[in-house]
Amino acid sequence: MEYMSLPKINNNYIAKIGQTGIVVSGFGYLPSRNEYKVVRILHPYRLRNPNDTTGRVEVCTLGKGTSSGWRDAGVITDSLYLHGTHVNGVLYWKDDKNEKIVCLDLEDEVFRVVPPPPCIRPEKQDIDMLYRLVNFGGNLGFIDHVWYGHVDVWTFKKNRLKGTNDNFNMSGHDYYHNWSWNKEVTIEWVEDTHACHFYEPFALTKSNEVLVWCDKSIPRCYDPKTRSFTQLIVDDDLKFETFGGIPHIKSKVSMKDFGFISN
C-alpha cells in the first residue's frame, strides 16, 4: 500500500467556518499530465443559511514539478452534494437543490452543467425516487431508484454518430451536444426471504453483470439476461453494514514516481 499526507489546510479559514460549513471533496487522475488532483469545496455558511450555497474551490495537484499546497480555483454557487464521482479525468457532483449534475474537468478546471437524464425532468419528480452518481463501466452512471419498484441505470456517453440528440433539452449544454443518456439496465424489485429494501448498483463486470449492494449488507451480482441475482460468497464474520462497494481501477503510477515516500 502507498500513501502520502496532503498539505495542511488553512486553519484560520476553517476556524471562521466553525460548525456552520460543509466541505465537498473529489479526487482524480489525469493520464495526459501524469498528475493526481484533490479538490475540496468549502461552503462556509451553508448549514446556518441553506440559501447561501456559495463555495470556495481549492485544488491540490500531486505530480512531478507541481507546487505543493492548496491553491485557490475560484468560487461556485451550486449546492453540491457528497464526494465527487471520478470518470476519465472529470469529477461529477449532484446539485441537491436544483436536481442537476455539475462537473469539474480536471484538465482545464472549468465547471460545467451536464444535461440531465430524462428521469429527473421536473415533470417526472417523485418523492419515492432516489438518485445517485457512480462510475459505471468507465462511464458516468446515474442510478434512478424507485422504492419497491425498480432501479434504472443510465449512462452518459459520447455519441459515435453525428446528429441531433433529442432525449433532453440541449439549451445551455452546447459543450455536451454530442453526448447522450442511455438506459443500460433495469433491475426489477424482487421480494425474497432476505427482505432486501434497497438495491444499490455500483459496478459493471466484464461480462456485463451488475454488482449490487442490497441494503449495504448483502453483495449480489445481477444478470440482465436471466434477470436473476446471485449472492456473492463472503465471510459470514464480516459485518457489511459498515462497508460500501466502489469500483477498483488499477493504476501503474506509483507515489515513488512523484518523489513521495511510499509504504
Side-chain angles (χ1 to χ4, degrees):
M1 180 181 69
E2 297 182 345
Y3 69 91
M4 66 163 293
S5 298
L6 294 175
K8 292 184 178 181
I9 60 177
N10 186 334
N11 292 325
N12 293 330
Y13 184 69
I14 293 298
K16 292 180 182 179
I17 294 177
Q19 300 299 318
T20 65
I22 291 178
V23 179
V24 176
S25 62
F27 174 76
Y29 174 67
L30 274 177
S32 60
R33 297 185 182 181
N34 196 26
E35 295 176 347
Y36 288 98
K37 287 190 178 183
V38 185
V39 179
R40 69 177 183 210
I41 305 171
L42 299 96
H43 298 270
Y45 309 108
R46 191 155 142 198
L47 291 180
R48 189 171 66 189
N49 180 11
N51 293 323
D52 185 0
T53 59
T54 303
R56 174 181 172 179
V57 184
E58 294 181 310
V59 178
C60 181
T61 303
L62 310 175
K64 278 190 175 180
T66 60
S67 58
S68 61
W70 296 92
R71 54 186 172 79
D72 193 337
V75 174
I76 187 172
T77 58
D78 293 289
S79 179
L80 305 186
Y81 184 64
L82 296 178
H83 59 275
T85 299
H86 177 250
V87 183
N88 300 323
V90 181
L91 289 171
Y92 298 87
W93 290 270
K94 180 177 171 293
D95 186 316
D96 63 350
K97 285 186 175 294
N98 300 308
E99 297 297 349
K100 66 180 179 182
I101 300 171
V102 178
C103 71
L104 174 65
D105 192 321
L106 296 178
E107 186 78 33
D108 56 19
E109 297 184 5
V110 173
F111 281 95
R112 297 180 175 90
V113 176
V114 177
C119 57
I120 64 170
R121 285 181 174 176
E123 62 269 19
K124 291 189 176 183
Q125 290 302 297
D126 192 317
I127 61 174
D128 291 329
M129 288 185 176
L130 179 66
Y131 305 130
R132 285 188 66 254
L133 299 178
V134 297
N135 185 325
F136 195 76
N139 298 290
L140 175 64
F142 188 92
I143 309 300
D144 175 17
H145 187 287
V146 180
W147 297 103
Y148 297 102
H150 62 273
V151 179
D152 291 331
V153 182
W154 298 75
T155 56
F156 193 53
K157 299 178 181 179
K158 194 169 185 177
N159 299 327
R160 294 182 179 179
L161 300 177
K162 294 182 179 180
T164 302
N165 191 333
D166 59 359
N167 74 347
F168 47 72
N169 182 3
M170 291 307 303
S171 176
H173 304 297
D174 292 340
Y175 185 83
Y176 289 105
H177 68 279
N178 284 330
W179 293 65
S180 64
W181 287 98
N182 301 279
K183 188 185 294 186
E184 295 290 340
V185 63
T186 295
I187 303 176
E188 297 291 342
W189 179 264
V190 178
E191 293 188 18
D192 57 21
T193 56
H194 295 287
C196 179
H197 298 92
F198 183 74
Y199 292 155
E200 186 178 353
F202 66 91
L204 184 69
T205 70
K206 292 182 179 180
S207 57
N208 290 322
E209 294 180 325
V210 184
L211 298 181
V212 180
W213 280 94
C214 189
D215 288 341
K216 286 196 177 225
S217 61
I218 306 174
R220 298 183 180 184
C221 188
Y222 178 78
D223 187 341
K225 294 181 179 179
T226 61
R227 298 182 180 181
S228 61
F229 284 99
T230 301
Q231 183 170 333
L232 302 182
I233 300 175
V234 296
D235 188 339
D236 291 337
D237 293 332
L238 293 177
K239 303 298 182 182
F240 279 96
E241 295 84 2
T242 59
F243 288 80
I246 60 173
H248 169 70
I249 301 176
K250 189 175 182 179
S251 173
K252 296 181 180 179
V253 180
S254 171
M255 288 291 157
K256 296 178 181 179
D257 297 337
F258 296 156
F260 299 123
I261 298 176
S262 60
N263 292 286

